[in-house]
Amino acid sequence: MDALHQFLVAPFTEFAFMQRGLLGTVLLSFSACPIGVFLMLRRMSLTGDAMAHAILPGAAAGFLLYGLQIVPMTIGGLLAGAIVALGAGAVSRLTIQKEDASMAAFYLISLALGVTMVSLRGSSVDLMHVLFGTVLALNNAALTLIGIVAAVTLAALAVFWRALVAECLDPLFLRSVSRLGTPVHFIFLGLVVLNLVAGFQALGTLLSVGLMVLPAAAARFWTQRVETMAVLAIAFGLVSSISGLLLSYHAALPSGPAIILSTGMLYFVSVLFGTRGVLATRRPRHAHRIA
């Protein structure tokens, strides 16, 4: 029992950096995982990944001007994400190019530009910090930002839940019966960018979308109800955060990748054993009676 306590509980009770990492990832789980459910239902998971890369130039600009300061990097990330989202949307509407292709073009340019900007001033350590985050180095300012984003996200979900579900499942119907269709779409995109910027503080630009999408994708294999899917996604995010931090601590692994790998393991377990997973769909639906 004592060994189990030392393995599971002691790292979080004895070390402040583990407590901060746990608090940050718990807040992100409650905030980003439900957003990931809507991204998946809209078939926009790769768009979320593209937007995660899109915030990099803005964060890099904040880093170049002020160093590793949370406020300038956050403001820069928000502005860059908004510019890329609007730019990709404008290209897809004004030209023959589809939105997925224009988004891919913008995110590739953004990623290359951001890495170049960080490399101009920072070291390889700074570049790794921006790309992969530092969960175990979250300070009060970062935790405050993540907490504010979580509160705003949960409040927006509570107010617009029904409209968000309707806009995912039948956007044309929502626009025919309500004027909320277009505003809800932009509110949702704003929440995506906010959560990516919050996740960037802990997991970096390359991995922040992982905690948003993977738990939601895993939850899809267990239920069809959106509400249950969101609750399951949050639960998977919490389990992944705790197990990833413990794996990082005991195996001396980078904390961000360890959390995403833990989420990936839950995803593959769900693919195989979920009620809508591979093994469930291969079972015969009716037992054959032996005469």
Side-chain angles (χ1 to χ4, degrees):
M1 193 69 178
D2 184 61
L4 194 63
H5 179 274
Q6 287 296 319
F7 186 83
L8 296 177
V9 180
F12 296 113
T13 58
E14 295 178 6
F15 299 102
F17 65 87
M18 289 290 287
Q19 296 170 9
R20 290 175 178 273
L22 180 62
L23 177 59
T25 51
V26 165
L27 290 171
L28 283 173
S29 296
F30 276 99
S31 179
C33 292
I35 298 298
V37 170
F38 288 107
L39 269 178
M40 182 187 57
L41 292 176
R42 291 165 177 257
R43 299 180 181 179
M44 292 175 61
S45 299
L46 290 178
T47 301
D49 184 51
M51 290 303 300
H53 295 80
I55 68 175
L56 182 55
F63 168 76
L64 285 175
L65 294 174
Y66 299 98
L68 291 172
Q69 298 293 320
I70 185 169
V71 175
M73 292 179 72
T74 298
I75 294 173
L78 286 172
L79 290 175
I83 290 171
V84 168
L86 293 173
V91 169
S92 66
R93 283 165 174 77
L94 299 176
T95 70
I96 61 171
Q97 193 167 63
K98 300 293 185 181
E99 189 169 10
D100 59 339
S102 61
M103 183 65 74
F106 272 81
Y107 109 75
L108 288 169
I109 295 168
S110 298
L111 179 60
L113 179 61
V115 170
T116 302
M117 291 171 68
V118 175
S119 301
L120 287 176
R121 173 177 170 180
S123 64
S124 59
V125 175
D126 295 324
L127 182 60
M128 293 293 287
H129 169 85
V130 172
L131 293 178
F132 298 104
T134 49
V135 176
L136 299 181
L138 291 174
N139 54 24
N140 290 336
L143 289 174
T144 301
L145 171 67
I146 295 172
I148 291 172
V149 170
V152 170
T153 300
L154 292 175
L157 289 176
V159 173
F160 297 105
W161 180 268
R162 291 173 63 88
L164 283 167
V165 172
E167 216 264 335
C168 278
L169 301 179
D170 196 344
L172 293 178
F173 172 76
L174 178 64
R175 290 170 189 173
S176 67
V177 300
S178 172
R179 296 180 180 178
L180 285 176
T182 300
V184 163
H185 180 71
F186 284 104
I187 288 170
F188 172 71
L189 290 179
L191 292 175
V192 171
V193 174
L194 273 177
N195 279 274
L196 288 173
V197 170
F200 157 76
Q201 308 300 329
L203 300 169
T205 58
L206 294 186
L207 296 178
S208 60
V209 74
L211 195 60
M212 183 180 292
V213 172
L214 281 173
R220 185 73 181 271
F221 289 102
W222 295 94
T223 181
Q224 289 181 301
R225 292 183 57 84
V226 179
E227 294 84 357
T228 310
M229 207 179 296
V231 172
L232 270 178
I234 292 172
F236 288 157
L238 294 174
V239 171
S240 300
S241 298
I242 295 170
S243 58
L245 287 171
L246 288 172
L247 178 64
S248 170
Y249 175 80
H250 291 293
L253 297 174
S255 51
I259 291 172
I260 303 305
L261 284 174
S262 298
T263 317
M265 287 297 298
L266 275 176
Y267 172 77
F268 285 118
V269 168
S270 300
V271 169
L272 291 174
F273 302 106
T275 55
R276 304 177 67 219
V278 173
L279 297 181
T281 56
R282 291 178 66 88
R283 294 185 197 127
R285 295 192 177 185
H286 302 286
H288 294 288
R289 294 183 180 180
I290 300 177

